[in-house]
């Protein structure tokens, strides 16, 4: 496989001091990276401090969400320009917690994607089915609706700087990781759907959902997996460092 991408999504965890400490440990760990890339997405409030720590290092800094307008009356939101001021180079979009807890629709997620496509920020566009959708045989149609809304909102030429993360909702934070067959099928479906719908070849696809040092190797060995999006296990330096070591050894 080519170099794996390991992304830590810190969600609403870690106070600024804790985030800064973890980032500093990771900067040190990543100084000698050869075969993998490591990205982290702290809370918005920690970004200025973490930004100062990761500046000039191999670690890339990301945001957990992004708004499509430059500025204006959008309480609680932050624009690409505001994030770029602090060295943010990627953003998560459509994470299942945004979709399910905060009710973000496919159309709204597509608008957020526009913020990335029109700026220097790389999008990690998250898709995935709930347990009910999987059990009801609606996995593929759910992925198609989520992806289709995004692809159809932009011209092919605009669809660059984009990464997809397949994160089955039932595997996020549950300790229940998707099996190789499920990951292969979903990634394969995302790739073929994308390539039928767009002239651009499919973006790299990450897997996310209960990834940890024990299951990482077998996930990264799957042919259509370009990396992983890690929640819980990215909050522990020891676990995340172990995962980086595994990715480095595999590539
Ligand atoms: P988890 O979260 O690794 O804690 O399951 C993954 C994610 O939400 O991106």
């Amino acid at each position: 496989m080519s170099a794996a991408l390991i992304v830590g999504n810190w969600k609403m965890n870690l106070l600024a001091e804790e985030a800064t400490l973890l980032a500093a440990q990771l900067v040190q760990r990543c100084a000698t990276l050869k075969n993998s890339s490591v990205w982290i997405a702290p809370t918005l409030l920690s970004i200025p401090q973490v930004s100062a720590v990761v500046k000039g290092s191999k670690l890339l800094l990301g945001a957990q969400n992004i708004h499509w307008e430059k500025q204006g009356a959008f309480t609680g939101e932050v624009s690409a320009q505001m994030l770029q001021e602090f060295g943010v180079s990627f953003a998560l979009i459509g994470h299942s917690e945004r979709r399910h807890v905060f009710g973000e629709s496919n159309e709204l997620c597509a608008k957020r994607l526009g913020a990335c496509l029109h700026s220097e920020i790389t999008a990690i566009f998250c898709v995935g089915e709930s347990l009910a959708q999987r059990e009801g045989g609606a996995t593929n149609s759910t992925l198609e609706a989520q992806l289709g809304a995004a692809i159809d909102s932009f011209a092919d030429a605009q669809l660059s700087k984009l990464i997809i993360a397949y994160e089955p909702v039932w595997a996020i934070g549950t300790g229940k990781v998707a099996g190789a067959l499920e990951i292969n099928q979903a990634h394969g479906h995302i790739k073929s759907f994308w390539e039928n719908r767009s002239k651009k070849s499919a973006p790299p696809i990450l897997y996310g959902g209960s990834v940890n040092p024990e299951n990482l190797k077998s996930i990264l060995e799957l042919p259509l997996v370009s990396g992983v999006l890690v929640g819980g296990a990215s909050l522990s330096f020891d676990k995340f460092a172990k995962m980086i070591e595994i990715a480095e050894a595999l590539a």
Side-chain angles (χ1 to χ4, degrees):
M1 64 172 284
S2 55
L5 172 58
I6 312 290
V7 184
N9 172 13
W10 293 355
K11 308 192 179 183
M12 198 175 76
N13 292 296
L14 305 179
L15 297 177
E17 200 181 323
E18 297 165 316
T20 312
L21 177 65
L22 180 54
Q25 289 175 305
L26 290 172
V27 164
Q28 216 172 25
R29 170 61 189 88
C30 293
T32 55
L33 281 192
K34 288 195 175 56
N35 301 315
S36 54
S37 303
V38 180
W39 298 5
I40 51 169
T43 66
L44 273 180
L45 273 178
S46 300
I47 281 180
Q49 276 165 269
V50 172
S51 172
V53 171
V54 304
K55 197 168 182 194
S57 77
K58 291 194 172 171
L59 219 53
L60 287 199
L61 179 63
Q64 297 173 16
N65 211 351
I66 189 168
H67 193 268
W68 53 93
E69 294 289 347
K70 283 197 174 97
Q71 61 195 42
F74 302 103
T75 302
E77 295 284 330
V78 175
S79 70
Q81 285 73 8
M82 291 166 181
L83 294 169
Q84 282 177 294
E85 216 184 345
F86 288 96
V88 165
S89 51
F90 76 95
L92 303 180
I93 294 167
H95 187 279
S96 87
E97 286 142 24
R98 298 300 321 170
R99 292 178 186 272
H100 294 278
V101 183
F102 300 100
E104 295 196 1
S105 65
N106 291 338
E107 291 65 33
L108 188 107
C109 295
K111 286 176 96 167
R112 293 196 187 279
L113 177 60
C116 292
L117 301 181
H118 299 131
S119 72
E120 294 303 307
I121 295 182
T122 297
I124 299 186
F125 190 79
C126 306
V127 296
E129 80 289 358
S130 66
L131 187 60
Q133 286 164 331
R134 173 160 285 271
E135 288 177 348
T139 298
N140 287 349
S141 58
T142 302
L143 298 175
E144 288 169 16
Q146 293 169 335
L147 280 172
I151 298 172
D152 293 349
S153 301
F154 304 98
D156 284 331
Q158 292 180 300
L159 290 168
S160 59
K161 292 190 291 77
L162 177 65
I163 292 170
I164 293 172
Y166 169 61
E167 297 204 296
V169 181
W170 47 270
I172 296 178
T174 57
K176 226 193 222 181
V177 68
L181 184 67
E182 290 158 328
I183 298 176
N184 279 337
Q185 281 175 343
H187 284 220
H189 191 71
I190 289 169
K191 188 167 157 36
S192 58
F193 178 77
W194 182 285
E195 288 173 352
N196 278 331
R197 198 76 161 236
S198 161
K199 287 189 193 69
K200 280 257 165 122
S201 53
I205 309 171
L206 312 179
Y207 168 78
S210 296
V211 180
N212 60 37
E214 285 70 49
N215 57 34
L216 178 67
K217 184 170 182 287
S218 57
I219 293 170
L220 287 182
E221 281 172 343
L222 297 173
L224 298 176
V225 172
S226 296
V228 286
L229 181 51
V230 187
S234 72
L235 296 171
S236 146
F237 173 71
D238 289 346
K239 284 188 189 164
F240 205 52
K242 180 80 198 147
M243 296 170 83
I244 295 168
E245 190 185 314
I246 292 166
E248 282 284 287
L250 266 184

